[in-house]
Amino acid sequence: MAKNKFHDGPGPSQRQLRVGELIRRSLSEVLARGDVHDPELNRMSITVGEVRTSPDLKIATAYVLPLGGQGQEDVLKLLSRNKSELRRAMGKKLGLKFTPDLRFQLDQTFDQMDETRRMLNQDSVRRDLDGA
């Protein structure tokens, strides 16, 4: 595999970012429309916050969260159980040569934002910020 001379950092390439966003939109649409033949999964409202792809675009990790944060472990099980059907439905929409294998993880972004907000609201931190 040739090394990209314009990209020397460990971050994702523009292609990875573009394909990840394409997959995120497609997966969100498939889940919102209920294109999967699983009534349990179709009953849930799932947010797809981000999709990260491997450098070769063969693996896509979707960071998901159920609406309201309830039933997080159930969501992962349901998505994993229906992975092949989701992949097939997305493959029709994507127009890529290969549809990547899907992996699912819980999206921790909101928890991290809440923790950051909590830390910034601590008296000692506020005192330091106000004094600066």
Side-chain angles (χ1 to χ4, degrees), residues 19 26-27 37 39 48-49 56 65 83 106 110 115 132:
V19 171
S26 178
L27 181 58
H37 297 92
V48 182
D56 62 1
L65 192 66
K83 178 166 68 168
L106 290 175
F110 295 109
E115 178 62 17

Side-chain angles (χ1 to χ4, degrees), residues 11-64:
S13 68
Q14 286 297 315
R15 185 169 183 231
Q16 284 176 274
L17 293 171
R18 191 171 54 247
V19 171
E21 180 59 19
L22 186 64
I23 292 169
R24 187 193 69 76
R25 287 181 188 167
S26 178
L27 181 58
S28 294
E29 186 178 317
V30 166
L31 290 170
R33 289 182 35 192
D35 290 346
V36 179
H37 297 92
D38 186 338
E40 287 183 68
L41 184 59
N42 290 335
R43 268 195 295 269
M44 299 190 94
S45 187
I46 301 169
T47 301
V48 182
E50 180 183 6
V51 174
R52 295 182 190 166
T53 60
S54 61
D56 62 1
L57 304 178
K58 297 208 187 251
I59 298 172
T61 303
Y63 293 87
V64 298

Side-chain angles (χ1 to χ4, degrees), residues 48-92:
V48 182
E50 180 183 6
V51 174
R52 295 182 190 166
T53 60
S54 61
D56 62 1
L57 304 178
K58 297 208 187 251
I59 298 172
T61 303
Y63 293 87
V64 298
L65 192 66
L67 192 65
Q70 302 299 317
Q72 293 181 5
E73 294 304 316
D74 294 337
V75 165
L76 292 179
K77 288 176 189 171
L78 289 170
L79 289 170
S80 294
R81 185 170 74 196
N82 292 287
K83 178 166 68 168
S84 61
E85 193 173 350
L86 287 165
R87 186 176 180 211
R88 191 169 34 257
M90 282 180 28
K92 294 176 184 176

Side-chain angles (χ1 to χ4, degrees), residues 118-131:
R118 186 193 66 72
M119 287 172 51
L120 290 174
N121 284 326
Q122 289 178 349
D123 289 337
S124 59
V125 175
R126 291 184 83 118
R127 191 172 47 247
D128 291 345
L129 290 174
D130 291 340

